[in-house]
Amino acid sequence: MNDFRADIQGLRALAVFLVFIFHISSSVLPGGFLGVDIFFVISGYLISGIILNKVEKKSFRFIDFYIGRLKRIVPVYYIVLTVILIIAVIIYLPSDILQLRMNAFWSAIFASNIYFSTLDTYFGASSIENPFLHTWTLSIEMQFYFLLPLLLYFINKRWLPTALIAIIIGFLGYSVWGTYFLDLKSKMYFSLAARIPEFCIGALFAVKQDTFKKIGTSTLNYISGISLVVILVCAFLFSEKSDYPGYLVIIPCLATSFLLINKDSFINRNIFSHKIAVHIGELSYSIYLWHWAVMALWRYYKVNYEFTGVEVVLIVILTYLLSLFTYFTVESYFRKTNNKKFFTLLTALVVVLGVVAVLLPRLNTYFYKIPDKYSRPTFGLKSHSNSFEEVESFGDLSKKSDSILLIGDSHALVYKNILHNLGLVNSFNFRTITNDRYPNIPGLNQKDFSNKDLFVQYSNIVARTNNEIKNAKIIFICSVWFDDQSSLPSALDQFLKNLNASQTVIILPDYPTPDKNPIRINRDFIKNDNSNYEYKIEYKKLPVRIKKVLDQYKNVHVVSIDFKQKLKDIPFNKDTLMYYDKGHLNLYGTEVVSREFDEEFMNSINKILQRH
């Protein structure tokens, strides 16, 4: 296991190629993400062989192993993290910079897999712009590297295959259970426990490779050819819709393992050992670190997820040049340094990364001086979502409570200032409590939530909302009514059924939204004459499934506003930006809407109230 294997470098080249193509365009290679699984199997195979060889010679030392892993992984990793943050200072908007720094923190401590599992899915739209998203694999590798020596050192080699098989079966069962029965696909994707079988399959083949080789050279040659075909077929047949990892992960992992144990096969000698494949394999770690960072930063700046042919060529060239540079100046250099010098330089890298991270927001403001009023939500946050502190009251507070309540999702948060301005002019007040994405209507099913934390947050908000509902005579609701919340119609129906006949529900109209985040395209709150992007504006209507529920109740009324009447230049008004992202009006935008549509809103609301 100490001999250099050119074919393994070639196998690494295949893995990084699959991942690279998948990240360029998932439609071209929908299952290219399994390149990560190939990396995990290779790691399990190689590291196990190295450790076992040293254990047999009684030369294995835990401290040497861990320092070796640090030298191999951390220096270039921290340099890439630092470069990403420096570039982000220039291209990131202030509203996004703090989240980026949080992503960098979890990546730097090799726990990004845990953190990202609580956010969007790996395949989500917002994830595709996260330049640190790919660090989840490094986090899992480092976590496993901490555990692997303990397993190999303390378990007798005689019993090791049995132990590895038991671990593979046990953790594979955990992955299958979480993926198929608990609907925790995203959590399993980022989970160390769900990925342990992949490393252990590689380790098992390293331990039992002599046994596998007894199959015979000719048979193994056929198996190697079949294994390569299997990997390529899986790369085309698997997709982000597949229940992965689950039991499907066994297929590419076994195929990779058979390629690893048969170094003399035609495939290994003539394809994976080719000098180009070996060269790419040597650069594969740097390529992996740089390629996604380049793509994500490019996507963020261009506000476009699809690359043109010219952009693909530029990304390939830039990734290769950066990888070439860091391989020879960082990776190769740090592997040869003595421990004292290594830790001195590592400390310097950590300090530089920390300083850049701390100064990130302040440095960013030098490039983008966009007031919060235009770039982020600022009104009514104390009564909203994860920033909730208390139920708030707005409008004309000089008079006694009007027993009006506003609830809903983040679009209801936007309506807080609209209704506040209407209340000041028309002498009414209201109380409000709202939630992100999931409207605080009781009864939503936990299966509709992307993770448990969001469901807990929703449940806490609903508990406070229920007390307010009892005392409200008029309830305003505003929501996007997302289609992926399958339990929403039944929850809404039950909510309306439980209200008293004297309580009136008013459904507020959703405001128009552009197809792209205008602040990202314009990069200022005053219209940039050089920006010629033509926005497609969506004027939303109530979904049929929601309208069917509302039509059943006489105390429920829908307000309709013709926003096209006065908003002619969305997402701008008089060359000033009205949105802080593609889905939400900023504070200025809410002031425009409340001012321009005061009469329409009040006429509709008063007509409704006169009926009751």
Side-chain angles (χ1 to χ4, degrees), residues 294-314:
V294 171
M295 292 180 195
L297 290 169
W298 199 306
R299 282 175 169 131
Y300 181 89
Y301 183 75
K302 298 288 288 186
V303 201
N304 192 2
Y305 299 152
E306 301 299 324
F307 297 121
T308 65
V310 173
E311 287 174 334
V312 170
V313 172
L314 290 174

Side-chain angles (χ1 to χ4, degrees), residues 89-109:
V89 165
I90 302 171
I91 71 170
Y92 258 67
L93 296 170
S95 56
D96 298 324
I97 206 73
L98 291 179
Q99 180 60 54
L100 183 77
R101 184 169 67 174
M102 181 64 73
N103 294 341
F105 168 76
W106 288 102
S107 299
I109 65 171

Side-chain angles (χ1 to χ4, degrees), residues 327-342:
Y327 175 75
F328 285 108
T329 62
V330 183
E331 284 191 70
S332 299
Y333 175 77
F334 273 91
R335 289 182 198 174
K336 301 173 184 176
T337 57
N338 60 57
N339 292 348
K340 183 178 180 180
K341 188 174 183 180
F342 167 71

Side-chain angles (χ1 to χ4, degrees), residues 361-390:
R362 185 178 300 177
L363 295 172
N364 182 246
T365 58
Y366 286 106
F367 293 90
Y368 298 103
K369 299 182 182 298
I370 304 176
D372 288 350
K373 176 179 182 178
Y374 303 97
S375 62
R376 68 182 75 214
T378 58
F379 190 88
L381 294 176
K382 288 185 178 180
S383 55
H384 180 70
S385 191
N386 59 353
S387 61
F388 178 83
E389 295 180 15
E390 61 182 0

Side-chain angles (χ1 to χ4, degrees), residues 72-91:
R72 175 71 178 91
I73 293 173
V74 176
V76 66
Y77 180 63
Y78 276 9
I79 286 173
V80 171
L81 296 186
T82 304
V83 171
I84 291 172
L85 290 179
I86 291 172
I87 295 173
V89 165
I90 302 171
I91 71 170

Side-chain angles (χ1 to χ4, degrees), residues 149-170:
L150 302 175
L151 174 69
L152 300 179
Y153 187 83
F154 291 108
I155 295 182
N156 188 291
K157 191 173 181 180
R158 179 184 175 187
W159 301 107
L160 193 54
T162 303
L164 286 170
I165 291 171
I167 290 171
I168 291 169
I169 293 173

Side-chain angles (χ1 to χ4, degrees), residues 416-468:
K416 289 179 183 180
N417 194 47
I418 295 174
L419 292 180
H420 171 65
N421 293 325
L422 293 176
L424 291 175
V425 175
N426 298 281
S427 190
F428 71 86
N429 57 55
F430 64 97
R431 289 171 67 76
T432 181
I433 178 171
T434 53
N435 188 48
D436 265 337
R437 199 175 198 282
Y438 305 92
N440 49 330
I441 294 169
L444 291 184
N445 194 305
Q446 185 173 350
K447 290 183 178 180
D448 287 336
F449 292 77
S450 58
N451 62 62
K452 185 179 179 181
D453 291 339
L454 290 176
F455 179 71
V456 170
Q457 175 182 293
Y458 157 82
S459 300
N460 292 335
I461 292 290
V462 164
R464 296 298 299 267
T465 304
N466 287 335
N467 295 328
E468 296 297 321

